[in-house]
C-alpha cells in the first residue's frame, strides 16, 4: 500500500515538473489596478510610441492566451544592458485580478529576458496593460555573422489568470489530475488493506480451526 501511494505521488510529482523540463521560462506576476492610475504599476507609458508586436486578450479568447512569435534580440551593450524591447498589449484584463505572464524559449537558443508590466498613459476605466519583454542573446560563437547579428529567438508568450488569486488557470488540469490520482491511490490502498485484512483473518481462522 505504501509502495502504491509512493508510486502515484512520484508520478504526479514528475507530471508537475514536466512543463518546465523542455524549455526555459521567465515570468512576471502582477495585479491589475482596480482604478485608473491606481495600483502598484508605477511605470506609465505612451503605448502608441512603442513597437507593439501582438496582443493577448482574455476577454476575446480565454482559451488561447498564447502568442508564438520571434523576438528580436541583441548582445547587451553599455547603453542597452537589457538588449531590445518588444511590447505586447494585454487587452481587457479583469480589474483587481492577478495574472502571470510567461516567456518560454528553447534551451537551444540561449537568451535572457526581462519582463515588466506597464499601464498606458491613456488608461480609462478599462484595463489594458503592456507587457515589456527585453531580450538579449547569451551565447558565444566563433561565427562572426552570428556574433554581429543574433538571430531572433522563437518564444511562447503565455498569459495566465490566477483563479482565486492562487492557482494559475493553465495548471488547473494538472491540479485536477493530482486530486483524481490521490483519490485513486487512496481507494486502491483501501482495497489492498481490505484484501490483506481478509487474508490475515482467513489465516487466523485457519490456525484456530
Ligand atoms: C503618444 O505618442 C504619440 C506618437 O508619438 C503622440 O502622437 C501622442 O501625442 C502621445 N500621447 C501622449 C498623451 O503623450
Ligand atoms: C554562420 O551562421 C550563419 C547563420 O546560421 C550561417 O549561414 C553561416 O554559414 C555561418 N558561417 C560560418 C563561417 O560557419
Amino acid at each position: 500500500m505504501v509502495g502504491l501511494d509512493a508510486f502515484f505521488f512520484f508520478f504526479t510529482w514528475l507530471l508537475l515538473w514536466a512543463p518546465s523540463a523542455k524549455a526555459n521560462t521567465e515570468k512576471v506576476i502582477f495585479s491589475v489596478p482596480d482604478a485608473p492610475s491606481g495600483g502598484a504599476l508605477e511605470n506609465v507609458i505612451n503605448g502608441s510610441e512603442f513597437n507593439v508586436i501582438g496582443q493577448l486578450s482574455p476577454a476575446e479568447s480565454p482559451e488561447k492566451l498564447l502568442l508564438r512569435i520571434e523576438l528580436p534580440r541583441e548582445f547587451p551593450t553599455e547603453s542597452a544592458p537589457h538588449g531590445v524591447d518588444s511590447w505586447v498589449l494585454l487587452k481587457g484584463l479583469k480589474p483587481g485580478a492577478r495574472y502571470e505572464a510567461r516567456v518560454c524559449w528553447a534551451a537551444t537558443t540561449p537568451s535572457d529576458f526581462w519582463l515588466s508590466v506597464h499601464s498606458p498613459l491613456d488608461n480609462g476605466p478599462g484595463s489594458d496593460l503592456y507587457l515589456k519583454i527585453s531580450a538579449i542573446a547569451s551565447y558565444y560563437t566563433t561565427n562572426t555573422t552570428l556574433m554581429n547579428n543574433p538571430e531572433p529567438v522563437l518564444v511562447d508568450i503565455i498569459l495566465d489568470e490566477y483563479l482565486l488569486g492562487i492557482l494559475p488557470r493553465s495548471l488547473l488540469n494538472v491540479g485536477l489530475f493530482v486530486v483524481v490520482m490521490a483519490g485513486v491511490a487512496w481507494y486502491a490502498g483501501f482495497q489492498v488493506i481490505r484484501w490483506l485484512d481478509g487474508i490475515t483473518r482467513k489465516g487466523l481462522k485457519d490456525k484456530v480451526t
Side-chain angles (χ1 to χ4, degrees), residues 32-38 44 93 95 119-130:
V32 182
D34 313 70
S37 75
V44 170
L93 304 179
S119 297
L121 257 183
D122 52 355
N123 214 8
S127 29
D128 292 353
L129 297 175
Y130 285 92

Side-chain angles (χ1 to χ4, degrees), residues 36-55:
S37 75
L41 302 167
E42 71 281 11
N43 292 312
V44 170
I45 60 153
N46 179 354
S48 44
E49 278 183 348
F50 297 98
N51 170 34
V52 177
I53 54 164
Q55 73 173 46

Side-chain angles (χ1 to χ4, degrees), residues 143-146 151:
N143 182 324
T144 47
T145 319
L146 286 179
E151 287 175 335

Side-chain angles (χ1 to χ4, degrees), residues 51-55 67 69-72 86-89 133 157:
N51 170 34
V52 177
I53 54 164
Q55 73 173 46
L67 192 61
I69 202 163
E70 293 204 312
L71 289 185
S86 303
W87 300 79
V88 177
L89 175 59
I133 307 169
I157 304 165

